[in-house]
Every structure is written in C-alpha cells, then in structure tokens.
Amino acid sequence: MLDIPSRVRVHVETLPAAQNDMGVCDAFEQNAPVGKPNTMNAPHPSKVAGIDATVPSPAHTVAPSPTAPGASPVTGPHAPGALLQDRLAGWVSDLTTLHELTERLARTATLDEALTELLRAGAALVGARRGLVVLEPGDGLGPAITLGLGLGRADLGHIETVPRSAMPFGRILDGLPDADAELASPDLFAEDGLDPRHREVAARLGYAASYALPLGTGPGDRVGAAVWLYDEPAEPGERQRHLAGLYTRYAGVHLARLVEVERTRACMATMAEELLPSRLPRVPGVQLAARHRTGPRGGGDWYDALPLPDAALGLAVGAVTGSGPSAVAAMGRLRASLRAYAVMEGEDPVAVLSDLELLLRLTEPARSATALFAYCEPALRRITLAGAGHCPPLLLGERRTEFVETSVSAPLGMLACWEAPGVELEAAPGETVLLYTDGLLHRTGDATDRAFARLHAAAAGVPRSVRQDPDAIVEHVLRAMLPDGLADADDAEDVVLLAARFE
C-alpha cells in the first residue's frame, strides 16, 4: 500500500538519543480518545517482519569518529550504534503507525466515514486537537462536503464567514501561488496582514495556529483540503510533516475513488427515480401512497399507478433480476410496456401479464422478472389482479388484516408460455390494499416465512388514528419492518410499497 524505498537512508546526528525516543506512535496514543483502547496504541514487538537487522551503512551517514590508538571504543547511549538503533526503532514505529492508519482508512466505504477517519488520524499525526476538511472536487461536479473535528455546526458556520482567500483551505483549493504543498501558520496572531475577520473568528473559537495539506491524486487534480487547528502557537515538526504528507497522499487517492462511487450512486438513484412515476394520479374513490428505496448500484424494482378508461385504475409492482444500469434500463422498458398493455386490455390482468411475458422472452431472453397487475374499479371497490411469481398483496382494514389468496405462478420469462388464473376481490369501505416487492422481506434478513409474519404484524399494528391516511400506513409499515435506519441505509435490495385506500 505504501511506496517505501527498499533502502532506508538514515542520517545519524550527534544529538542525544533521548531526543529521538518519542515516535509518532506515542503521539497517536496521546491523542487517542480516552477510554477507547486501540490496537494501534499497543507496544510494538521487538522483532518486525521484513526488517533486516543487518542494515548497511548508507553513503551519507556520518562516519564514526576514529578511535585513538590505545583508547577503548565509545560505549553507552551516545555510541554511534546506539544512535542508529534508536533512529531505526523510530522509523519502524512510524511506518507501522502509518500502515495501521491507511488500513483503517481503506476500510471506510462512504465519504463521511473516510473524511472523519482522515481528520482523526491527521490530528494524531500532527499533534492537533481540532480540524476541518473541505471536500470540493476541482471539476465542480461535486459532491461538496465540509466536516469538522471538535468543531460544531455553529463553529463551521463562523469559519464560513471568513473570506475564502484568507483561509488555508481556500488558498489550497483555489490554487494560489503560496499553496503548492502545505500551509503552516505557527502563530496566527503574530502574522502581518491577517484578515480581520479571520482574527476575530480564531479568537472566538480559540485556535492560535493551523496546518493545512491538500488532498488529491496529484498537483493538478485536487479533491479537497484538510486543516488542523492548534489551541496554542505551534507547528508540526519535520518528522510529523513527512508522515502527514504520506498519509494525506494516500487519503487523496482514496477520497477520489469514493467521490466517483458517490457520483455513480447518485446518478443511478436519479435514473431509477426518473423512470418511476413523478406523482401519483388522483382518481375519485381511492387514495394512493408509495415508497421506493433503491440500492447504491440501482435496482430493478418498480411500481406504477395509471388511470384507465371507464374511471378505472391500474396498479402494478414488479422486480427485474439483476442490478446496475442494465437492470434499471430493463425495468424502464418493462414498465413502459406494461402501461401500453394496460391501456389496451387492462380489464384482463392475465392478458396484460401474458403479453408482457412474451415481450420479455423475445427481447431479453436472459432476464426474468416478477410482476403483479391489478385492475381496480373504485366505484365498486372491486379489484381483479394477476401475479407472476410475485408476493401476494395485503388487505388492511378495521376488521381484518390478511394476505390475498393468489394462484402460484412462475416469474415472467421462466416458462415457454406463461398463464395463470386471475383473482377477484372486493374491498370494504376504508380498507387498504398494500402491494410490495420482495426486497422489503429480504432487507429484514429473516427467513421468508418469518418475514411474512413480520409484515402481517406491522400492518396489523398500524394505529387506528392513521388508518385513513395511506401515506401514514406505508410509512408505518416501512419503519416497522426496517427499524433503526435500515429503511434508508444502503442495501443491495430495492424496496417498493404501494398502498391504495378505497373510500
């Protein structure tokens, strides 16, 4: 992971070895949160794999002083051998710490996680307590994120009132001449020409020095900048700067990769949402509500609601196998085709799905899909539906909560000729029909029978005070099935909920 030269060049100075005893590992241990032990702070073993005990003397190492004839060689802590051993021990400690920090950063999967880890690790390396990172890709396509360490939202708001050119991250991101590699301000209040607003904000927030580094894959490709703040006038030493530079160089590459992932994720989510209804239709006698959650790569789950002739309403949900752009595109084609078939022969859901199956088998023979189509007559509260390998709808009312009995059939594209009998049911006034995709069941992590039982319990547990509102019903069922943020978390499974309440 780290590009470390095969030959370690060490310059032995005549300073006491005690001045070199404290490595970055010790600094990181001092800056680690109290009460949270970390393997990084554990003492390192005396023997390190990959380190050869016999290190040849580098060309630029200071030559040992010649021993006078008859005099005993120099021994003790100031002997050249002891100095070299102390220096090598410091290098091993620093490289081990750097390896551990980059490993922790590599395990982050989102931009927020990576930026938080970057701030914590950088603060330990340079000996600071607070800091902030500004993510701002140079191409202007976003995302733009500002995150603080030890700084609240109000503190970041104060910093944003400082002119951009007066802040170190602004000079780095704008490519000013004095921001090529690093920007160190050992004593802000002693600087000539310090911006008055910057002086006021620094005094208000209580920092007196700063150290900033660029983040990116190269000099001309920056994605952001990181700034660490000191409570007192200070600056990192040469050893700390070197390690912080190596770390941020790797962090820049990692952040650039996560930026591309985030852009792809946002693009796929936008594409999937654009292929779904922008708004649900208003049809007399029925109220509609829907929820859709897509995974980071984009999936093939979809829903639809469209007005049909004779004051009827068509409801559909389905799922295409696979994920990613191809699945999203297939989902769009399948939904558009079903809308056309529904307008022509919607009163016969079996015919609609039969035509859809034929189209899928001829145009995309390597793909299968599940689907459910319901032809609703709101004035009569009558529903005729057919399903192809899809989960049965759930009927929710004041007197009953039960799954609709449907015929078992294979998904579309699995058989040479698909056909299954339809089902007709009549809803009571105030009852709600809930359609959904199997992603809702899979995201729970439970077995299928247990997931169905949880869905039934979630629907039965809808408070009576909100049963007249289909939007509140789908929200309650979604949160009951996927609690603790699981409904909004990234997951490979898409989720679709579509509710129709009959008046």
Side-chain angles (χ1 to χ4, degrees):
M1 181 178 301
L2 298 175
D3 186 13
I4 302 176
S6 58
R7 175 177 295 180
V8 179
R9 302 177 68 189
V10 182
H11 180 63
V12 179
E13 301 174 330
T14 57
L15 296 175
Q19 297 180 1
N20 299 317
D21 287 341
M22 183 175 179
V24 175
C25 280
D26 304 316
F28 190 85
E29 182 176 358
Q30 291 179 4
N31 286 277
V34 178
K36 294 181 181 180
N38 196 292
T39 55
M40 187 187 319
N41 301 325
H44 301 293
S46 57
K47 294 183 180 180
V48 181
I51 302 297
D52 191 356
T54 59
V55 179
S57 177
H60 71 293
T61 303
V62 177
S65 302
T67 304
S72 59
V74 180
T75 59
H78 298 287
L83 291 174
L84 179 61
Q85 184 176 0
D86 291 339
R87 182 60 61 87
L88 287 177
W91 272 102
V92 170
S93 176
D94 292 345
L95 293 177
T96 303
T97 297
L98 194 61
H99 173 74
E100 292 172 350
L101 293 178
T102 52
E103 283 291 325
R104 287 173 54 173
L105 182 64
R107 287 194 292 267
T108 58
T110 65
L111 280 174
D112 286 345
E113 292 176 357
L115 294 174
T116 301
E117 178 61 30
L118 164 68
L119 282 175
R120 290 176 179 172
L125 289 174
V126 302
R129 187 174 64 90
R130 293 180 293 173
L132 71 152
V133 59
V134 179
L135 187 73
E136 188 178 294
D139 56 11
L141 300 178
I145 301 174
T146 300
L147 194 66
L149 173 68
L151 298 172
R153 186 170 299 178
D155 299 332
L156 294 176
H158 287 303
I159 291 176
E160 289 179 355
T161 64
V162 180
R164 182 182 174 93
S165 60
M167 294 300 296
F169 65 82
R171 298 201 293 272
I172 289 176
L173 294 175
D174 292 342
L176 298 183
D178 59 342
D180 292 335
E182 62 180 4
L183 283 178
S185 298
D187 191 349
L188 283 172
F189 300 105
E191 291 183 359
D192 295 332
L194 181 65
D195 183 84
R197 181 56 184 167
H198 191 187
R199 182 186 299 273
E200 180 183 349
V201 170
R204 184 186 186 94
L205 299 184
Y207 66 88
S210 66
Y211 180 69
L213 284 172
L215 302 170
T217 57
D221 188 13
R222 290 177 182 167
V223 296
V227 184
W228 290 277
L229 307 175
Y230 298 88
D231 299 338
E232 303 292 338
E235 65 177 325
E238 182 180 355
R239 186 178 189 178
Q240 292 173 308
R241 293 183 186 219
H242 178 65
L243 287 176
L246 290 176
Y247 179 77
T248 53
R249 200 176 307 163
Y250 173 80
V253 176
H254 183 65
L255 288 174
R257 184 164 55 247
L258 290 180
V259 164
E260 292 301 321
V261 172
E262 184 66 25
R263 288 176 177 176
T264 303
R265 177 181 305 175
C267 180
M268 293 303 304
T270 302
M271 184 186 307
E273 292 297 333
E274 289 295 326
L275 290 174
L276 295 175
S278 57
R279 62 182 180 86
L280 295 172
R282 296 185 177 220
V283 178
V286 65
Q287 296 174 290
L288 300 174
R291 291 292 185 275
H292 178 238
R293 299 289 186 271
T294 186
R297 296 189 58 206
D301 288 20
W302 53 277
Y303 69 95
D304 205 351
L306 68 157
L308 296 176
D310 300 326
L313 173 69
L315 300 177
V317 292
V320 177
T321 56
S323 61
S326 63
V328 173
M331 175 264 288
R333 292 190 293 268
L334 203 66
R335 173 178 171 267
S337 301
L338 185 140
R339 290 176 70 92
Y341 297 144
V343 170
M344 293 186 294
E345 47 191 2
E347 67 280 356
D348 186 358
V350 173
V352 171
L353 293 186
S354 297
D355 293 341
L356 196 64
E357 192 275 338
L358 178 61
L359 176 71
L360 184 69
R361 183 158 44 88
L362 294 177
T363 58
E364 300 187 59
R367 194 181 297 277
S368 64
T370 64
L372 186 145
F373 178 73
Y375 179 79
C376 307
E377 299 171 87
L380 302 175
R381 295 189 300 277
R382 188 165 54 202
I383 306 168
T384 305
L385 60 88
H390 205 81
C391 305
L394 187 62
L395 192 61
L396 167 64
E398 294 291 335
R399 301 177 181 274
R400 58 176 175 173
T401 300
E402 59 187 30
F403 289 102
V404 177
E405 292 289 341
T406 58
S407 58
V408 178
S409 64
L412 303 176
M414 297 289 289
L415 301 177
C417 181
W418 179 91
E419 185 171 342
V423 176
E424 186 174 306
L425 64 110
E426 185 174 330
E431 287 190 328
T432 300
V433 176
L434 186 66
L435 310 180
Y436 54 93
T437 60
D438 57 2
L440 178 66
L441 307 176
H442 294 162
R443 276 207 189 192
T444 63
D446 295 333
T448 302
D449 56 344
R450 182 174 177 81
F452 273 116
R454 286 185 58 179
L455 177 58
H456 185 276
V462 175
R464 293 185 179 274
S465 59
V466 301
R467 292 199 175 193
Q468 294 76 28
D469 184 4
D471 192 77
I473 291 176
V474 294
E475 186 67 20
H476 175 87
V477 171
L478 182 64
R479 301 300 171 183
M481 289 289 289
L482 304 172
D484 303 326
L486 292 178
D488 301 315
D490 288 340
D491 195 281
E493 294 287 346
D494 283 11
V495 173
V496 164
L497 277 169
L498 178 61
R501 180 182 179 274
F502 292 88
E503 298 176 352

